[in-house]
Amino acid sequence: MTTTLITGANKGLGLETARRLAGAGHTVYLGARDLRRGTEAAHRIGARAVPIDVTDDESVRAAAKLVGDEAGSLDVLVNNAGIAGTARPAGETTADDMLTVYEANVFGAVRVLHAFLPLLKASPAPIVVNVGSGLGSLAATVDPHARAVVPDWIPVLAYSSSKAALNMVTAQYAHAFPAMRINAVDPGFTATDLNGHAGRQTVAEGAEIIVRMATTGPGGPTGGFFSAAGPIPW
Ligand code: NAP
């Protein structure tokens, strides 16, 4: 039995990932900061809702206790919860704007991984998937040739730099925990609430790489950054 937690899974890419992994036989803890919406979503796909706001230490600690008490270990952690934050141009983006986005997209992933580390270490083959973005690729940002792998690249300071930070967080954790498989993924531009459903892909297409990395077998990659098409330049 594989025990899996997905944060921000009441809708969008997280919900689709939860649906697929539950269908594959995982015991899925569907993380949602609103328990009512989480419970409704979990009910539809045969998952178990767990309240978790990734910006709140106490909420994350309580979620880890709930999963620990029930399951005793965690095999797969998908750090999916994220926000777009301000779309204002770089010159108009403030430090407070950045802090808001980093709280969810960067510190949230760290807070969750840190709290669940004992449960991940109790798994025989722990996997962590950090849901990043091609917009977080430094290479695609500075090199127009590299941008070909991020076809929907746009300049946006707060969100993109938060996802670049999440990439380094991923690489550092992969270095620190060689017994775990820890990767960052880019789902691609997907129609969800995050972008007012402007994305070109369906959630089924976007969740593909998340599911693939969440189910990578022994000997699978670690410390990498992947889209559905393959590795992406950092
Ligand atoms: P979405 O439909 O807006 O879903 C985002 C999820 O994150 C929601 O469940 C939301 O909960 C949750 N969330 C936000 N802040 C949270 C917090 N503080 N604590 C717990 N949950 C929180 O967007 P999505 O497109 O599926 O995004 C999922 C991930 O994919 C994000 O990390 C995003 O950056 C990444 N991504 C998306 C795209 C794309 O084109 N859609 C592309 C690349 C990467 P509420 O319902 O309560 O707000």
Side-chain angles (χ1 to χ4, degrees), residues 6-33:
I6 304 157
T7 62
N10 54 288
K11 66 181 183 182
L13 290 161
L15 176 58
E16 175 63 11
T17 301
R19 191 185 69 75
R20 298 261 292 273
L21 294 179
H26 291 213
T27 298
V28 171
Y29 285 89
L30 183 152
R33 58 180 162 174

Side-chain angles (χ1 to χ4, degrees), residues 54 81-84 100-109 158-159 162-163 166:
V54 303
I83 60 171
T100 301
V101 176
Y102 276 58
E103 262 301 345
N105 296 3
V106 186
F107 310 145
Y159 180 78
S162 77
K163 293 298 189 180
L166 182 63

